[in-house]
Amino acid sequence: MVDPKEYLDRNRDRWNELVPHHVSNSSYNVEGFRSGKSMLNHIERNLLGDLTGKKVLHLQCHFGLDTLSLLYEGAREVVGIDFSAEAIKAATELANDLDLNARFVQSDIMELDQVFNEFGSFDTVFTSYGTIVWLPDIAKWGTIINKYLKPGGSFIFVDAHPFSNIFDDETSEAKLIPKYRYFHSEVPDYYKVEGSYATSASLENNDEYIWVHTISDIVTALTQPGLIIETVQELPTINWQMFPFLEKGENGWYTFPESYSGPIIPLLFALRARKPYNVV
């Protein structure tokens, strides 16, 4: 069995270095957030529903913009979790600056139940965009989610569709070219990456290790501990330029251009699951 610790440590080093670059990058629009603008998209807002008075747990929160946006959407209290110490520091500073009712906990998701004991106390657990690729054990992820939800509570997940991730995301040719694997492996895929999706800054830590998880992996991870999947969405649109030939619409989202003649595939995957009330 592969020990993922070394890979996770390298990823953590990279994310610690990325945090200040992301905080200062205009693509995150921190100033817009400070002025009262929620950073959540319509997809997750619709799935989250009315958050008024609710306690929400946000997994893999980075430096907290989406976590704190949950308060703008009506949540009573939010807790953000991330494995990066620098991310937790930046998130805490932002919350304190704005006097928002938020707490942030540094932890690897796989070890969260060892350091954070508010089990069964959250109305909603939420995670979105580029999260599960950093997790070696999707089954443990599902167990963690179930452990923190109240009976009747909901889990909201939004991310790139696992199938879309198998295609070449660098070619400018307007066609889908299979390049990456679909099925999970204990040994992560390795990439050397200059900068990031939000900065071109030169970094010391350029190594990324990611684990792919299929649709069936995700569904099984959630249903095995007892969650009931209520809604699943597969959409041919996404909020970043996943492939160079995608076109940005007036709403700011990317989709296949009219000139594209290949098969339309789902780019985004979202779901809502619920913890049953009759939990023993």
Side-chain angles (χ1 to χ4, degrees), residues 6-271:
E6 180 181 350
Y7 305 122
L8 292 169
D9 288 346
R10 296 291 291 276
N11 284 340
R12 184 183 294 107
D13 290 342
R14 175 167 165 78
W15 281 99
N16 278 331
E17 187 178 4
L18 281 171
V19 168
H21 297 286
H22 285 186
V23 170
S24 62
N25 190 279
S26 61
S27 66
Y28 271 97
N29 194 15
V30 174
E31 289 310 308
F33 173 79
R34 285 181 174 274
S35 69
K37 177 180 172 59
S38 171
M39 296 293 109
L40 298 180
N41 293 307
H42 65 283
I43 299 294
E44 50 263 38
R45 286 203 308 270
N46 290 340
L47 287 168
L48 285 162
D50 185 5
L51 292 177
T52 302
K54 292 185 177 180
K55 182 179 177 181
V56 184
L57 179 65
H58 184 198
L59 304 180
Q60 295 172 270
C61 67
H62 197 23
F63 67 93
L65 280 189
D66 282 1
T67 317
L68 299 175
S69 292
L70 293 162
L71 293 170
Y72 287 177
E73 300 289 341
R76 167 179 55 86
E77 177 186 357
V78 296
V79 179
I81 310 295
D82 201 273
F83 74 162
S84 162
E86 292 301 316
I88 293 301
K89 178 182 176 181
T92 301
E93 289 175 352
L94 184 58
N96 290 342
D97 284 350
L98 298 174
D99 194 25
L100 294 172
N101 187 23
R103 292 176 289 146
F104 292 92
V105 177
Q106 181 191 354
S107 177
D108 183 326
I109 298 301
M110 301 294 101
E111 300 173 350
L112 183 60
D113 55 353
Q114 300 175 33
V115 299
F116 184 63
N117 65 1
E118 295 180 25
F119 307 125
S121 67
F122 289 89
D123 301 286
T124 303
V125 177
F126 170 62
T127 192
S128 67
Y129 305 113
T131 54
I132 61 173
V133 295
W134 309 109
L135 304 180
D137 186 350
I138 198 73
K140 175 67 173 178
W141 172 79
T143 300
I144 289 290
I145 291 163
N146 182 66
K147 186 172 288 190
Y148 287 95
L149 278 174
K150 289 180 178 179
S154 60
F155 169 63
I156 307 302
F157 174 69
V158 186
D159 212 333
H161 197 289
F163 180 64
S164 68
N165 286 328
I166 75 170
F167 298 101
D168 190 339
D169 57 355
E170 296 180 341
T171 180
S172 58
E173 191 175 357
K175 63 185 297 186
L176 295 172
I177 303 171
K179 182 178 180 179
Y180 307 107
R181 61 189 178 80
Y182 180 72
F183 292 100
H184 176 74
S185 169
E186 287 187 356
V187 179
D189 294 336
Y190 167 73
Y191 299 95
K192 195 167 191 66
V193 183
E194 299 296 330
S196 79
Y197 57 86
T199 180
S200 58
S202 178
L203 305 174
E204 292 183 9
N205 295 286
N206 297 314
D207 296 332
E208 286 187 353
Y209 298 89
I210 70 168
W211 290 267
V212 298
H213 306 286
T214 68
I215 292 287
S216 60
D217 292 337
I218 296 167
V219 169
T220 302
L222 296 174
T223 57
Q224 192 67 37
L227 298 182
I228 298 170
I229 295 178
E230 297 183 322
T231 299
V232 174
Q233 298 178 11
E234 298 175 286
L235 304 171
T237 184
I238 198 162
N239 59 337
W240 71 90
Q241 195 165 19
M242 174 178 279
F243 305 116
F245 63 86
L246 296 182
E247 288 187 353
K248 190 175 185 179
E250 293 182 359
N251 63 357
W253 285 59
Y254 291 87
T255 191
F256 293 92
E258 290 185 9
S259 59
Y260 174 73
S261 60
I264 301 296
I265 66 167
L267 303 176
L268 198 71
F269 176 69
L271 63 78

